[in-house]
Amino acid sequence: SAEDVRRDIMSMGNAGASQLAQEISSMLSPDGAAWVRDRVAIHVSAQAKLCGLGTAENPFRTISEALKEAPADSVILVGHGIYDEVVCLEGRKVDLVAVDGPQETMIRGRRGHAVIRIAKGADGCLVKGFTLTGGTGRRTDQPTSYGYDYYGGGVNVSASATLEDCVIVGNGHGDPRKTSCTFGGGVCVSAGTVILRNCRICDNYAWASGGGLMADGRDAALVVVECTIEGNDSSDFFGRQGGISLANSATLSVSGCFVSGNGGDQVGAFGNVYANGTRAQVERSYVEGGARACNIPVFIARPDNYKVLPQRKGVCGCGSGIKALRVKPSDRKRKNV
């Protein structure tokens, strides 16, 4: 839980390097076929005919169709291709797995929405092996003085979940003052503990905070393990947190990551009173500038290589080297992809 992550960070000063990331990793690493066996599996293929049944021989054509039929604790196995849709995991735990990985499988969202929304009731779900692009975030119900705000361009999360082997790229780029007021260009967590493992988060944008990642709220925690966060940006609004941002007592744990080339602060907190109560730890990672954090009240950067070039100390940073699915010019249906 977010409270467990918070407690772990508070004990870091005297306890040595945290084992939290490794423990979570071992608990949640499925064992291939055994992980799928004895579970309801629903199949999706971008090449399928209309009116599929969700079987391997007659799959659904869209992920949204599969989600309508998926029972709790089932797994949706998604074939290669480009899926132009907005995906919502809500009300029950369903795992979403791209069987051919992010090089072959893309979910391409649209402006005014997150590409994937993980909401109440979906606690414990897994999203694995996708390229996620083209979203600007979930819109707030009420407008602000700047227009509507949008949270989580690639993924908007308000439940505990795991994102694994994903490429989250090119989100948060919307129309000025219409669909661009994004917090958390790549991922925004407002509640729950969200684990990102072996992911690439790159070329995302936030109008206000957290170009790559953002956790906002006391019940929100980000655990980032062996990921690469680079080339993201945010505007200079209450500070410029282009990499990873926290707000309103949120918590962050970074382990074995590569964080570099993001605009402004690589790791920081949203400015003014919104930074109050935030806390973070960084260990076994390369962070450009030596893991300097902007205005996070509780910040622990372990002296065990975060200033050293990753190739010299074996920092993982997305160990599989996964890359995004390359989109052919004929497939580019929207300017924001």
Side-chain angles (χ1 to χ4, degrees), residues 96-121:
L96 195 62
V97 178
V99 294
D100 295 312
Q103 299 93 334
E104 302 291 338
T105 317
M106 173 186 286
I107 304 176
R108 185 164 53 183
R110 61 177 182 267
R111 299 183 183 194
H113 299 270
V115 181
I116 293 182
R117 180 185 169 214
I118 303 174
K120 186 177 180 180

Side-chain angles (χ1 to χ4, degrees), residues 12 16-26 196-197 223-228 253-259 281-287 290-291 299-318:
M12 277 280 291
S18 169
Q19 297 300 308
L20 174 67
Q22 294 91 322
E23 290 173 2
I24 291 175
S25 235
S26 62
L196 285 91
R197 183 170 56 234
V223 179
V224 190
V225 184
E226 297 180 4
C227 292
T228 294
S253 175
V254 177
S255 179
C257 291
F258 183 91
V259 187
Q281 64 156 338
V282 174
E283 61 166 341
R284 300 186 301 107
S285 299
Y286 172 76
V287 180
F299 182 77
I300 301 169
R302 301 299 302 180
D304 51 2
N305 80 3
Y306 65 85
K307 290 186 178 181
V308 184
L309 290 178
Q311 59 267 31
R312 293 180 58 188
K313 290 291 184 179
V315 170
C316 299
C318 194

Side-chain angles (χ1 to χ4, degrees), residues 63 78-85 87 96-109 115-116 127-135 154-155 164-171 199-200 202 204 322-327 337:
I63 299 168
V78 182
H80 67 274
I82 299 174
Y83 297 84
D84 287 305
E85 55 183 308
V87 173
L96 195 62
V97 178
V99 294
D100 295 312
Q103 299 93 334
E104 302 291 338
T105 317
M106 173 186 286
I107 304 176
R108 185 164 53 183
V115 181
I116 293 182
V127 176
K128 178 180 174 69
F130 292 90
T131 292
L132 307 175
T133 192
V155 188
E164 182 176 316
D165 299 342
C166 288
V167 177
I168 302 168
V169 56
N171 299 285
C199 294
R200 288 179 55 88
C202 53
N204 301 285
I322 56 177
K323 297 181 180 180
L325 170 63
R326 294 185 177 275
V327 182
V337 176

Side-chain angles (χ1 to χ4, degrees), residues 123-172:
D123 292 279
C125 72
L126 169 71
V127 176
K128 178 180 174 69
F130 292 90
T131 292
L132 307 175
T133 192
T136 55
R138 184 168 186 254
R139 197 183 81 172
T140 55
D141 295 331
Q142 299 296 325
T144 68
S145 56
Y146 297 93
Y148 285 96
D149 291 339
Y150 295 81
Y151 287 83
V155 188
N156 176 286
V157 193
S158 55
S160 294
T162 299
L163 305 174
E164 182 176 316
D165 299 342
C166 288
V167 177
I168 302 168
V169 56
N171 299 285

Side-chain angles (χ1 to χ4, degrees), residues 157-206:
V157 193
S158 55
S160 294
T162 299
L163 305 174
E164 182 176 316
D165 299 342
C166 288
V167 177
I168 302 168
V169 56
N171 299 285
H173 301 279
D175 301 313
R177 299 186 72 85
K178 292 182 179 179
T179 58
S180 64
C181 298
T182 302
F183 292 76
V187 178
C188 185
V189 182
S190 60
T193 298
V194 175
I195 302 162
L196 285 91
R197 183 170 56 234
N198 199 41
C199 294
R200 288 179 55 88
I201 300 96
C202 53
D203 190 31
N204 301 285
Y205 172 76

Side-chain angles (χ1 to χ4, degrees), residues 262-287:
N262 303 288
D265 293 304
Q266 306 301 312
V267 182
F270 195 49
N272 209 327
V273 298
Y274 305 105
N276 293 346
T278 56
R279 59 201 69 200
Q281 64 156 338
V282 174
E283 61 166 341
R284 300 186 301 107
S285 299
Y286 172 76
V287 180

